[in-house]
Amino acid sequence: MRFEVRPIRVEFGAELEGFDVRDLDEQDVRKLVDVLADRGVVVARNQRLAPDEFVALMRRLGPLEYSVRDEFHLPENPDVYVISNIMENGKYIGNPFDGFGWHTDMNFCERPTAYTALYGLEVPEEGADTRFCSAFRAYDLLPEERQAFLRGIQVRHSHDMLHATRRNAPPLTAEQRARAPDVVHPLVRTHPHSGRRCVYLGPKCAVPLGMAEEEGIRLLDELLALATDPGHVYSHRWRVRDLVIWDNRGMLHCATEYDRQKYRRLLHRVTVGGERPF
Ligand SMILES: [Fe+2]
């Protein structure tokens, strides 16, 4: 199979045409990795993906990752994490609330997520878009002196701080906390394939070291505003059987709200672990 790549925005994003996960040879997988490094986020429509097939696809991109939270894994395939507002027997079958607010996945880990993939099984007719923007672009926009200054800054990322912002989430157990201690990452990270630099942000859960807390938060807010400029955002409007994969080592994303009383939403998610940011 040879799939085609159609840019979504000038700066980032690509739609894959003629893409079929059942028919990917090694050359296709290498091309997918290259497109992810180059375009940050890819969309493939009309994919028919059973959980096992979804997991098998993502394994080809690297070692799978297991979420810190245990309650929303697909019982028959724990490598698949479920995002949903659907209730069964008085309980949500997936995580209904996470992801609102710009972020990159698992930034609070020593080796944060490289790739995140979502697959749409049930999607609301309106709302629930997933938004993307480029942290490469934010870095590229800065004057050289500013870039050099930022390259010298380290940032503490904290899962405890992030968890405190979650809605309806029970307190973390001691074991869950021990699994995610605070970590320090550079504020500017380098993409391991392309060598391109981006600002590595952890909104609401990161504090730059070596400066007053207020000043540090102001700095991160300023960089976040630059990255998330509404004129440079791709908002993915979900259709059933969409597969969306992004590279967290350069893209920020956020979920958006929808009418939870009116619509059902069911997405499967599989994530691939990455390297220590450098
Ligand atoms: Fe996320």
Side-chain angles (χ1 to χ4, degrees):
M1 180 196 70
R2 294 292 168 265
F3 59 89
E4 297 300 315
V5 178
R6 192 175 60 78
I8 292 174
R9 294 190 57 89
V10 174
E11 314 98 320
F12 66 87
E15 189 155 339
L16 309 182
E17 285 164 1
F19 184 87
D20 183 346
V21 296
R22 290 188 187 82
D23 197 19
L24 283 182
D25 63 23
E26 282 311 306
Q27 203 179 329
D28 294 320
V29 173
R30 277 198 299 277
K31 180 172 169 180
L32 179 58
V33 168
D34 287 347
V35 175
L36 280 162
D38 183 41
R39 305 302 301 166
V41 52
V42 302
V43 174
R45 307 273 191 188
N46 290 315
Q47 302 299 304
R48 293 194 179 268
L49 270 183
D52 288 355
E53 291 170 314
F54 190 14
V55 168
L57 165 71
M58 297 308 287
R59 267 192 216 289
R60 296 178 80 175
L61 299 182
L64 300 188
E65 207 174 56
Y66 195 82
S67 171
V68 176
R69 297 173 74 191
D70 303 305
E71 60 263 53
F72 301 121
H73 292 274
L74 198 64
E76 62 272 28
N77 193 333
D79 288 321
V80 176
Y81 187 84
V82 181
I83 295 169
S84 185
N85 65 331
I86 299 168
M87 288 191 111
E88 277 173 15
N89 306 319
K91 268 178 65 184
Y92 285 114
I93 64 166
N95 187 341
F97 292 119
D98 267 5
F100 298 94
W102 289 102
H103 65 285
T104 66
D105 288 332
M106 304 291 268
N107 61 297
F108 46 80
C109 291
E110 194 176 314
R111 293 165 184 272
T113 311
Y115 304 114
T116 304
L118 294 178
Y119 178 62
L121 291 109
E122 293 188 59
V123 302
E125 276 168 44
E126 54 190 338
D129 293 5
T130 306
R131 293 193 177 136
F132 296 94
C133 68
S134 169
F136 296 120
R137 185 186 145 273
Y139 180 78
D140 291 346
L141 285 173
L142 297 167
E144 247 172 65
E145 264 172 48
R146 185 76 169 153
Q147 291 177 339
F149 167 72
L150 297 181
R151 286 202 298 276
I153 294 176
Q154 300 285 314
V155 178
R156 181 168 60 84
H157 294 247
S158 165
H159 181 252
D160 286 1
M161 276 172 76
L162 175 69
H163 194 75
T165 69
R166 285 177 172 145
R167 283 185 274 173
N168 291 9
L172 294 172
T173 64
E175 197 264 331
Q176 284 172 325
R177 291 186 63 169
R179 254 195 275 166
D182 288 2
V183 291
V184 174
H185 296 313
L187 178 54
V188 174
R189 74 179 289 188
T190 308
H191 195 281
H193 299 322
S194 65
R196 203 170 166 197
R197 289 184 172 126
C198 72
V199 289
Y200 191 50
L201 304 172
K204 295 196 199 114
C205 62
V207 185
L209 303 177
M211 60 176 74
E213 193 176 321
E214 224 171 88
E215 187 193 352
I217 287 168
R218 207 167 43 237
L219 171 64
L220 295 189
D221 284 350
E222 174 201 315
L223 295 173
L224 186 68
L226 194 61
T228 60
D229 177 343
H232 298 273
V233 166
Y234 167 59
S235 196
H236 183 70
R237 178 87 282 276
W238 282 92
R239 294 183 211 157
V240 173
R241 293 194 292 277
D242 280 355
L243 170 67
V244 177
I245 311 174
W246 65 89
D247 192 328
N248 286 285
R249 302 162 302 183
M251 303 303 293
L252 287 148
H253 63 281
C254 82
T256 62
E257 280 296 353
Y258 62 102
D259 188 334
R260 290 153 193 282
Q261 308 309 319
K262 197 165 164 188
Y263 299 120
R264 282 161 62 103
R265 184 174 195 235
L266 175 59
L267 301 180
H268 283 174
R269 185 183 81 176
V270 180
T271 55
V272 170
E275 57 291 307
R276 190 166 191 148
F278 59 91

